[in-house]
Amino acid sequence: MPCRRNAGLDPSLAEVRDMKLVAGVLALALMTGSATAADLTLERVYAAPDLTGPRARGVALSPDGTLVTYLRARPDNPRVTDLWAADVAGGAPRRLIDAAALIPTGRDLSEAEKSRRERQGVQTSGVVAYDWDDEGRFILAPVEGDLWLWTRADGSVRRLTETPEDEIDARVSPKGGFVSFVRGDNLWIAPAAGGEARALTRDGTELRSWATPEFIAQEEMDRQTGYWWSPDETRIALTRVDLTTVDVVERFDVNAAGAVIVPQRYPRTGRPNAQVELFVQSLADGARVPVDLGPDPDIYLARVDWSRDGQTLYVQRQSRDQRRLDLLAVDPATGKSRVLLTETSAHWVELTDDFRPLKDGSFLWTSERAGWKHIDLHGADGRRIRQVTRGDWPVDAIQGIDEDRGVVLFTANRDLPVERRLYEASWKRPGAPRALTPAGGWWTIKVAARGGAFAGTYEDPATPPRTGLYRPDGGLVRWIEENPLDDAHPLAAYRDRLRTPTYGTLKAADGTDLWWSMRTPPGFDPSRKYPVVVRVYGGPGSAQVRKVWHDPADQLYLQAGFILFSLDNRGTPNRSTAFKTAIDRRLGQLEVDDQIAGARWLATQPYVDPARIGVTGWSYGGYMALMLLTAPDTPFAAGVSGAPPTDWTLYDTHYTERFMGKPSENPEGYSASEVTARLGRLKPGSLLLMHGMADDNVTFDNATRVMADLQARGTAFETMVYPGLRHRAGWTQAHLRHRTEATLDFFRRKLTP
């Protein structure tokens, strides 16, 4: 989907002459006075160590709950991560895998692995993922294309593969007997104790691959794998993906040394998808049984799970129009399936990872049929037994279960849409959920496989992310990364000038509350008039207004004298189903209305200069920036649009059709959402357009069509393109610094008196 993962203010680039840079510096001096020792600089923001401090990423607990593992950036290079661990019983954290010692010299990742990292939004190198076995004996870690195995018994790290090809989607089998991975479009396994790898499939090709999720599954459905081990290690369910039905979209991949034409299989909206089949293969004899996915081949294979005893394979099948989701129960011996339950919607059915099979064959499931997302308990026959949670607030996600106590642990925006906490509720005894974490900020949770203990990361606008291990009742056991904002913190010298947001609501045209956040410059004087930069995403699936720690780079905008403002329009998450689906079949309409309402509210504030309001966004936010700059009587004086989708007929099936239907079904909606028809209203000189020249998600022609149209109209604009860079992955600290510097320069020139 258009990028949801971009953190901080979404800047773009301008190519500027020395005179403009000097003018920007002079304007900054006039607005803020001479720099002090407490002023952040561009150089420091993008240097090591990370100003946010040490963070635990990819947190997991060993299956027995006695060890917490996580990824930690190197102090000398925040773009390289190592694998660390901390014992629950106490003691200093220790490094398990030193990525710098294992990264091969001069090796370039395969196109498949680059694409996989792009889909997952991986921004680092080194140890970027890892996998425990269910017995807690091993950790498998890919390092730049090869596999390494850490053995808990002796702490050794052993290399498993050393091949010219990358091993991708690698994991340890449930009981730790095997290591599995995809190599060369085929599925392979090898004994974890050592020995030769063997291919379970042999006829895989780039166009007809085994065990690999197709583009749509990775980019839009959050399904990052194409195979699933049975609990007893006797079978593997795996996909067969045929891409020959998908259109070839030729795109230029332009880098510093030249350009190549990439014939990408890209399923644009309304066009054919990949054909996906599912099989169950026996490890004993290699026999492969096809799974009955129903008579309609034009469906999405959404999720696959095994029952706890391995006797049933559960498959989630989504219709092409995404208004129906079926949960199938499959006999793995025969491949025969039956429908256990069906979810339907007049708009779309959201995909989740909330299905949780229980020992007795019953299962937990989330549904939005009540108007808010809540948890249900279903029997083995699919019949709903009871609703576990209820109320006018949404469950975020099921994080884990404690089956011995009969409770489900879940995150939810129960108090406010801008806060997230962890709760537990019993599926056996009805009652109100019990909060396990305090209010005030945003929690990210990883629950142990057994016992209910959890690792929790908390952050708020004044608290950098800190990770601890907690008992099932929410009591702190120990810190994993406490990350206190004390005198030793990397940000200590600048903390007194940090600005935390204020939060509030304003009304949409239909009376709905829209949440906003605002940060004012250091030394804010309410009797003065300030320029404003509105940071926008606006698309489905991502909320900007949250009580989280903000990117330290934002301080550069505040120091430059800008107010920073964000508003979550209709269509964004953490609200009711009606709020999310209000945009159905009309992207770029209600979102724009709401953001303009926010800007007009800003213009009434006594400390805001209504003639100096700017907007910036990336991906869907870049689209919104263009739509806002070209709205009739727009209140926005200037904007930076990064990697924008500009014509939804150029985007992919699963994302676009979820909200818009096919172009043949909704021509009016597609026409109203298109950018170039509005460009006649763009004020000359008000736009800075940026795009990566190797973007395989929002392809570069989305930007070139805007460039061509504005040039034909004779409308002045600024642009910056990035050779070799994709939509998310590959951005270095130098690239990020350049984006920020050029964006600041653009807004200084356009919004400074």
Side-chain angles (χ1 to χ4, degrees), residues 16 68-69 118 153 183 280 312 361 377 387 401 471 562 581 583 589 675:
V16 294
V68 180
T69 49
E118 170 66 23
R183 179 199 290 163
V280 177
T312 303
L377 174 67
Q387 189 173 335
I401 59 174
R471 294 189 299 269
F562 296 107
T581 60
I583 62 171
Q589 297 182 44
V675 168

Side-chain angles (χ1 to χ4, degrees), residues 385-425:
I385 298 173
R386 69 178 60 92
Q387 189 173 335
V388 178
T389 63
R390 63 183 69 245
D392 291 345
W393 50 270
V395 167
D396 167 58
I398 293 177
Q399 301 295 344
I401 59 174
D402 185 344
E403 197 153 2
D404 291 339
R405 294 192 296 135
V407 299
V408 55
L409 291 86
F410 61 94
T411 43
N413 306 91
R414 190 180 183 207
D415 301 318
L416 297 170
V418 297
E419 297 181 5
R420 187 171 73 185
R421 302 168 71 182
L422 179 69
Y423 298 84
E424 71 171 21

Side-chain angles (χ1 to χ4, degrees), residues 593-645:
D593 292 345
D594 291 351
Q595 293 293 336
I596 287 178
R600 297 205 186 284
W601 176 85
L602 276 172
T604 66
Q605 304 309 300
Y607 46 82
V608 169
D609 185 338
R612 295 189 287 148
I613 300 176
V615 60
T616 183
W618 185 265
S619 198
Y620 201 104
Y623 167 70
M624 287 290 292
L626 287 172
M627 296 293 281
L628 292 167
L629 288 171
T630 56
D633 300 319
T634 180
F636 293 97
V640 178
S641 170

Side-chain angles (χ1 to χ4, degrees), residues 330-343:
V330 178
D331 181 348
T334 65
K336 292 182 179 180
S337 65
R338 57 190 174 89
V339 177
L340 278 184
L341 67 81
T342 297
E343 291 282 348

